[in-house]
Amino acid sequence: MAHNPHAPQGPQDPDPAGSTQMFRAFVDEEVPEQRRRSASAGPRLGVILGIALGITALAAVAWLAFS
């Protein structure tokens, strides 16, 4: 067989210990309480404001259309 220079070189098996250590470090990572609270409140506030703005815009268009 001809030599394939594009074939992967070195060990073919992934290192399960390295993956486990990285996963545990990710899971055990502490998230500051203030950051956790602001992250959960932000999207909710944006959705509420977006819905209110949409309703206001539709009401304005309907009022202009029927007046």
Side-chain angles (χ1 to χ4, degrees):
M1 287 216 156
H3 175 69
N4 184 358
H6 300 291
Q9 305 295 319
Q12 300 300 315
D13 299 326
D15 180 19
S19 298
T20 303
Q21 289 171 349
M22 288 189 295
F23 176 73
R24 284 187 180 161
F26 172 74
V27 170
D28 293 338
E29 185 177 281
E30 296 277 332
V31 177
E33 188 64 30
Q34 183 180 5
R35 193 170 118 199
R36 191 180 314 166
R37 263 190 256 134
S38 67
S40 65
R44 231 180 289 154
L45 180 62
V47 168
I48 291 171
L49 290 176
I51 290 173
L53 184 63
I55 290 172
T56 303
L58 286 176
V61 168
W63 182 74
L64 288 173
F66 294 118
S67 63

